[in-house]
Every structure is written in structure tokens, then in C-alpha cells.
Amino acid sequence: MAHLLDNPVWNALISGNSALAQGPASVKCFAEDVSPFVGFEAFTPEAFGLLHALVPAGRVLGVVSPVPMAIPAQWQVVQQLQIGQMVQEQPAAAVLSGPPPIRLGPAHVPAMLALTKQTKPGPFLPNTLAFGHYEGIFEGPELVAMAGQRMHPEPYAEISAVCTHPGHLGRGYAGQLILLQAQRIVAATGIPFLHVKSDNVRAIKLYHHLGFVTRREMSFYIIRKNPA
């Protein structure tokens, strides 16, 4: 039997994120203002055809696959990346220092969008907050670090949107926020995991320090629908 995390988007859309899922039985995606990720029960040409009929022309989507694959010609491949999938096996204790994190809500979305635009932790859209559990650290009125959760292929829960303003690096904010998210997931009887670009050596080193181990490499495709 395939591991749940070999197809994390699909398994999230049919379990922990089912309330946010759109689409037919074999292809599902999130609303355009929530997340670009799309999940396939099976990565077949027929499934990509169903998706083509489901979304408007020009929409950009993200596909996560356990192996490299050929994307059908009706889609333009904007970018292809290798990402590491990491699972926390040895939880570490959160060490609080500096300003305490606060729960982020709709009023904080402009600041969240500004921070993710500057730091580029991955897709973050006006309603990505719908995934829930976002927390941030402020210095004065400025949001300088944040993290939240995204895909929930039960019992796994993905820690996502981990980012720190470049002017506030080295203060331990990212580690603190990740560990708080991990503690929340474990308290809910879940298993924390995350994705990271395979060439992001600094982040991978931090994640290893926080008890995460690399489970496997994944292929991530950014695709755009071509006109029919």
C-alpha cells in the first residue's frame, strides 16, 4: 500500500481538508484564493483532462508527485522543483524568547501577504488563512515572522508558510513558531510534516535540529492551463 504522504495533496483533500475541496471524485483542488494545489487520485492523462475542464484558462496550479512525470501538452509547465518531505520523529521542546507569538486572523492578512511576498516561503494567497492555526511574531507594529498549517492528510498535518523578515533573522523566531505548531499537531494526535526546497540548506539544517528527518524527495510542478 502506498504511503499517505506519497500523494499528500489528494489525501489531504479527501480527509483533513475535505471542507475546502472542490472538484469531482478523482480530481480535487482548493479554491483559487486559498491554495494553488491540486490533488489527483491517480496521475493519469485522463485526470489532467478532467482538471482542464474544471479550472479557467490561465489558472496556475501546483502538483506534488512522488516521482518525476510527463505533464500533458494541454498544460504549460511554468517551473519544476525538487522538494524534500520531512517528518518530525523526535519532538523538541519549544523555547520561548523575545516577543510572544499571537494568533493571526483576517485583520492580519495584509501584513501576512506583505511578509510572504518579501520572503517567498511558498504559495500564500488572500484566503490561505482558511487552513487555520497561523501564528506570528510582531516587533512593534510589524509582523516579522510567522508559520501555520496547510495540508492535513490525516493523521499528518503540514507546517507551512514558515518565514522571517530578512532584517530579523538569527533570533530563533522560525524555530519557535515551528515547534509550537508541532506541539499543537501532536496534542491533536497528529504527526507533523513539512516540505522544503531541496537546495535550501539553511532551512533543512534548522528542521533537522528541530527533530525532522527527510522521508523522501518529491517532484513539484507549477503548471498553467493552456486554452483548449
Side-chain angles (χ1 to χ4, degrees), residues 49-100:
L50 283 174
L51 179 65
H52 198 272
L54 178 66
V55 302
R59 181 173 177 186
V60 175
L61 296 163
V63 179
V64 178
S65 167
V67 295
M69 61 181 177
I71 304 294
Q74 62 196 160
W75 297 92
Q76 174 194 359
V77 178
V78 178
Q79 191 175 12
Q80 191 269 325
L81 303 168
Q82 289 302 115
I83 56 176
Q85 186 181 84
M86 305 184 74
V87 178
Q88 191 186 53
E89 292 189 346
Q90 298 178 340
V95 178
L96 299 180
S97 61

Side-chain angles (χ1 to χ4, degrees), residues 26-192:
S26 59
V27 180
K28 297 184 184 295
C29 61
F30 296 100
E32 191 167 3
D33 65 344
V34 172
S35 173
F37 286 98
V38 57
F40 298 91
E41 185 176 22
F43 296 96
T44 64
E46 292 77 15
F48 276 95
L50 283 174
L51 179 65
H52 198 272
L54 178 66
V55 302
R59 181 173 177 186
V60 175
L61 296 163
V63 179
V64 178
S65 167
V67 295
M69 61 181 177
I71 304 294
Q74 62 196 160
W75 297 92
Q76 174 194 359
V77 178
V78 178
Q79 191 175 12
Q80 191 269 325
L81 303 168
Q82 289 302 115
I83 56 176
Q85 186 181 84
M86 305 184 74
V87 178
Q88 191 186 53
E89 292 189 346
Q90 298 178 340
V95 178
L96 299 180
S97 61
I102 69 167
R103 187 72 173 265
L104 299 175
H108 300 112
V109 168
M112 298 168 79
L113 289 169
L115 181 60
T116 54
K117 182 178 180 180
Q118 184 170 29
T119 57
K120 296 179 171 50
F124 195 89
L125 301 165
N127 202 29
T128 298
L129 187 70
F131 284 115
H133 303 300
Y134 282 92
E135 291 184 327
I137 293 175
F138 285 80
E139 289 198 1
E142 183 180 15
L143 177 66
V144 298
M146 74 173 197
Q149 295 180 32
R150 185 169 59 189
M151 289 183 279
H152 288 252
E154 295 175 342
Y156 294 89
E158 182 192 27
I159 299 173
S160 182
V162 179
C163 54
T164 303
H165 187 284
H168 299 268
L169 295 172
R171 304 182 189 182
Y173 292 165
Q176 177 177 323
L177 290 166
I178 292 166
L179 288 175
L180 289 172
Q181 291 291 338
Q183 288 179 350
R184 179 179 289 108
I185 292 166
V186 171
T189 68
I191 304 170

